[in-house]
């Protein structure tokens, strides 16, 4: 298996871009990544494109990647279109990594893009339902016929938050500290949808979305795109003096397994084993804080702390920007935003910037050599339908 | 790069299955392929699922594979969802091949499934429009606001047929002989949607769809699924005494290239080069006869004959079931049917059966050792958006 490097990264600012189409967002991110490595467009042999919901939101199904990339200046490429709900981006990255690792291609583009913001705000919430088994939707916790004003996933996360609070005595103030940290981090990120640091008090007083989760504890509806150029290590020196290596790329899905470990836990175990690394080797992480409880559970599922001790970890300050193990220096899904199919690649872009020491005011102080991204998508059988973990190293 | 074998194949009968859901069709094909190789379900490490239009047709976007495979009995798998319009199935096969070639997995499942037949017959025709750039749809040849009774792709194919007839003097009778051949072949295929051999006269008198293409010269709207189990050659002997090898797996997409060769021509050149094989080595083919002109153009694009001589090749009888180079022994898309996302894998399943000598009454008489599948999807910039070619050998 060939070693694989990330040689170029780029993204759009995430946000509510009513004036921009999926094509425009995707093109901007792709060109940013290609320009980052200063490669000739003709050297890109394939493109792996992640998008979750354009079929439902815009009617553009089937050949999304070809349509988005149609005037980016690529020529003789194979375009692969993939989706895995909120993990569509890391699904695309995983396929790109696999293709370069196999030797089928030496240089490939990964593009992850999502357009969710339309005049009708409920359109995106409705489309998010397709991240579940739509025939079983009525059995989904908190489902109502005309979902208004929120995604049904917020009810799932609220349920998880209540369980953690009841079982381990985690307080809502502790959970809110994750939002406080991430909004602080996001205030330094020019690519973030929200660049305002919120006080604990304002987070705890924001509008209730699904008890106990309040607005500022949840990721927003967003537009955006992120991209990366990957290559075989053997040719990396031709293109870049600062390649970042993919130490492992692992995906685990839920299909009615009797396994008692969650998809994230199983993906974490495999990731560490494949990379020959463990939680103690990590210097920086981007995790899937679709809501605050998502980040707290990630702490435990990734082995950063014992089960039930996620609250103590956030209270310790260790995961803050200036802590020993910074988590979501970008601001995470809560502040950077969450254009669902784009998130997985945006996480990887952030870790690359951090490992390069190029993250500006939000650069972590751990002199990072190893970073991890955790990205999940969809729900089925009361677990994430897909979980992808990437370990990157200098 | 590891050598990759196909060790198990299976499919549903293609047809109009108003009583069957996408889940039921997918499950049936997956179980058929798994039972064909008699493998323990737990040995399957990943599943690559191709589907083109469920997002639009049923609202099931995002995690189609997890939903379809939810009670097939797999356990610790990674599910990849991919789409490439009518080439979704071969896109999934290509990704599965890449993953095994890379060494990421040793044993994987490919599943391609499509449910197109609903009470509202126009639903599928409308959904097929998503195989183009939907923003540019009004510029598509033959587009009308409320497409009724046919797919817009039939107008594209009619245009191609007229061009060939004008440029090379190909007659409609010659084109109809492709439908005659394929309906004859389909009459021996228990998996085919249509199992009736049509006379040349009845083909030429069937209802006009898009001049000069008539009903029996076009593929129908269909439901169905097809599946395969792939493994690393190193472990193949554990599972099968009759593995079929993937000699090459190539995809080429259209993204605004200035290349003067079509996606199929480029894919063919790469396929032969990678496999160290040429047109003269082929013993049997399955090609994308979405309409009769599709098969005739494939003859030329795959190098079976010179450009403009596709008509002579069909007239020679060489591509008949008992000819020296049988094409579409299954009945092709015209008779086996065309559940769009499933077709690419169904083609591969047929070639595997032919190479095994297990195709029953439609077994070709060339003692086949090498077979080819050609599967295309979508249209953009007046070419197929995606073209995949697979070369398989004993």
């Amino acid at each position: 298996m060939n070693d694989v490097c990330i040689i170029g990264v780029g993204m759009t600012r995430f946000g509510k871009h009513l004036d921009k189409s999926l094509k425009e967002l995707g093109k901007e991110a792709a060109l940013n990544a290609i320009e980052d490595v200063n490669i000739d467009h003709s050297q890109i042999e394939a493109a792996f494109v992640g998008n979750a919901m354009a079929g439902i939101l815009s009617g553009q199904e089937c050949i999304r990647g070809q349509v988005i990339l149609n005037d980016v200046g690529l020529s003789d490429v194979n375009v692969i279109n993939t989706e895995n709900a909120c993990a569509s981006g890391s699904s695309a990255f995983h396929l790109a990594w696999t293709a370069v690792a196999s030797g089928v291609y030496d240089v490939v583009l990964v593009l992850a893009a999502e357009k969710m913001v339309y005049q009708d705000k409920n359109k995106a919430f409705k489309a998010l339902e397709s991240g579940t088994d739509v025939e079983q939707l009525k059995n989904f916790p908190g489902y109502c016929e005309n979902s208004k004003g929120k995604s049904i996933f917020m009810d799932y996360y609220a349920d998880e938050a209540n369980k953690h609070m009841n079982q381990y005595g985690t307080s809502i103030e502790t959970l809110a500290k994750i939002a406080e940290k991430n909004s602080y981090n996001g205030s330094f990120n020019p690519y973030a949808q929200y660049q305002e640091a919120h006080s604990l008090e304002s987070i705890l007083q924001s509008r209730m979305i699904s008890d106990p989760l309040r607005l500022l504890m949840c990721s927003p509806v967003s537009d955006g795109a992120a991209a990366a150029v990957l290559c075989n290590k053997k040719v990396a020196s031709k293109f870049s003096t600062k390649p970042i290596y993919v130490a492992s790329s692992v995906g685990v899905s839920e299909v009615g397994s009797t396994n008692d470990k969650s998809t994230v836990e199983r993906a974490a175990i495999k990731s560490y084993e494949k990379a020959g690394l463990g939680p103690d080797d990590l210097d920086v992480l981007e995790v899937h804080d679709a809501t605050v409880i998502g980040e707290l559970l990630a702490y435990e599922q990734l082995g950063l702390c014992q089960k039930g001790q996620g609250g103590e970890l956030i209270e310790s300050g260790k995961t803050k920007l200036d802590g020993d193990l910074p988590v979501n220096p970008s601001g995470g899904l809560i502040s950077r935003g969450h254009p669902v199919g784009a998130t997985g690649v945006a996480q990887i872009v952030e870790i690359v910037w951090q490992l390069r020491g190029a993250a500006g005011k939000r650069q972590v102080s751990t002199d990072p050599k190893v970073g991890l991204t955790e990205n999940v998508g969809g729900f089925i059988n009361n677990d994430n339908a897909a979980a992808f973990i990437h370990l990157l190293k200098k």
Side-chain angles (χ1 to χ4, degrees), chain A:
Chain A
M1 202 183 297
N2 297 301
D3 285 326
V4 181
C5 311
I6 305 170
I7 50 175
V9 292
M11 60 186 286
T12 68
R13 181 176 172 183
F14 283 4
K16 296 193 188 294
H17 300 302
L18 268 172
D19 57 329
K20 286 187 185 170
S21 68
L22 182 64
K23 280 183 196 172
E24 288 167 316
L25 293 163
K27 183 176 178 177
E28 182 182 333
L31 290 176
N32 284 347
I34 295 168
E35 279 161 24
D36 185 45
V37 70
N38 202 19
I39 202 169
D40 190 287
H41 288 48
S42 67
Q43 291 177 286
I44 293 170
E45 301 162 82
F48 296 81
V49 181
N51 168 273
M53 308 186 309
I56 288 176
L57 285 170
S58 74
Q60 184 64 66
E61 188 119 70
C62 281
I63 56 163
R64 311 172 196 198
Q66 287 92 330
V67 168
I68 297 171
L69 293 168
N70 197 36
D71 64 348
V72 166
L74 305 180
S75 54
D76 201 20
V77 291
N78 182 18
V79 176
I80 295 294
N81 300 296
T82 189
E83 66 188 64
N84 243 322
C86 300
S88 298
S90 45
S91 191
F93 189 93
H94 174 73
L95 294 175
W97 167 79
T98 305
V100 176
S102 73
V104 174
Y105 303 114
D106 274 343
V107 185
V108 305
L109 174 71
V110 183
L111 174 62
E114 200 81 51
K115 170 76 194 163
M116 299 173 76
V117 180
Y118 291 87
Q119 290 293 353
D120 176 0
K121 289 180 183 172
N122 282 304
K123 207 169 163 176
F125 297 129
K126 189 74 195 161
L128 280 162
E129 292 177 356
S130 68
T132 70
D133 179 341
V134 295
E135 284 181 13
Q136 300 293 322
L137 202 58
K138 289 183 181 171
N139 303 327
F140 200 85
Y143 174 75
C144 62
E145 194 66 43
N146 293 301
S147 67
K148 293 260 184 231
K150 68 174 172 182
S151 150
I152 53 169
F153 290 112
M154 294 305 150
D155 297 312
Y156 174 86
Y157 279 115
D159 191 46
E160 291 291 307
N162 283 317
K163 277 195 280 186
H164 206 277
M165 292 166 78
N166 291 334
Q167 192 167 357
Y168 302 110
T170 310
S171 72
I172 191 64
E173 288 76 17
T174 297
L175 285 171
K177 282 181 183 170
I178 291 173
E180 184 190 19
K181 167 180 76 68
N182 291 355
S183 72
Y184 175 79
N185 296 353
S187 74
F188 301 116
N189 186 354
Y191 295 93
Q193 179 165 352
Y194 298 118
Q195 301 176 8
E196 185 187 348
H198 294 295
S199 68
L200 199 58
E201 195 178 21
S202 63
I203 293 163
L204 288 165
Q205 287 174 357
S206 61
R207 178 164 63 87
M208 188 67 82
I209 296 295
S210 190
D211 195 6
L213 300 175
R214 291 173 181 272
L215 184 70
L216 296 179
M217 302 174 188
C218 301
S219 57
V221 170
S222 317
D223 297 328
V229 180
L230 274 62
C231 79
N232 189 326
K233 182 185 175 183
K234 289 173 194 158
V235 302
S237 63
K238 281 203 285 184
F239 304 115
S240 175
T241 56
K242 49 182 180 182
I244 300 298
Y245 297 92
V246 182
S248 67
S249 173
V250 170
V252 171
S253 298
E254 171 51 42
V255 286
S257 156
T258 53
N259 203 306
D260 60 356
K261 287 195 164 58
S262 70
T263 51
V264 174
E265 287 171 306
R266 286 183 277 155
I269 291 166
K270 288 185 187 187
S271 296
Y272 293 135
E273 189 185 310
K274 280 178 187 271
L277 296 167
D280 292 346
D281 297 306
L282 304 177
D283 301 312
V284 58
L285 298 90
E286 287 278 314
V287 306
H288 199 88
D289 60 325
T291 68
V292 286
I293 186 68
E295 177 163 331
L296 188 130
L297 290 175
Y299 292 171
E300 302 175 6
Q301 292 169 332
L302 298 172
L304 309 188
C305 63
Q306 297 294 309
K307 197 161 272 192
Q309 297 185 352
E312 290 168 40
L313 183 55
I314 186 68
E315 290 289 351
S316 76
K318 192 176 170 187
T319 60
K320 284 184 163 181
L321 198 56
D322 61 355
D324 291 343
L325 189 55
V327 176
N328 283 330
S330 69
L333 283 59
I334 289 175
S335 291
R336 183 184 50 215
H338 185 31
V340 297
T343 285
V345 175
Q347 293 176 318
I348 288 168
V349 169
E350 176 69 14
I351 294 295
V352 168
W353 280 332
Q354 292 286 349
L355 295 179
R356 283 181 184 173
K361 288 183 183 169
R362 66 186 188 287
Q363 179 66 46
V364 301
S365 53
T366 51
D367 184 21
K369 292 176 181 61
V370 177
L372 178 149
T373 66
E374 178 249 4
N375 180 212
V376 298
F379 281 99
I380 193 166
N381 309 328
N382 215 33
D383 194 5
N384 297 121
F388 283 88
I389 292 177
H390 284 94
L391 278 161
L392 308 182
K393 63 183 181 184
K394 262 193 189 166

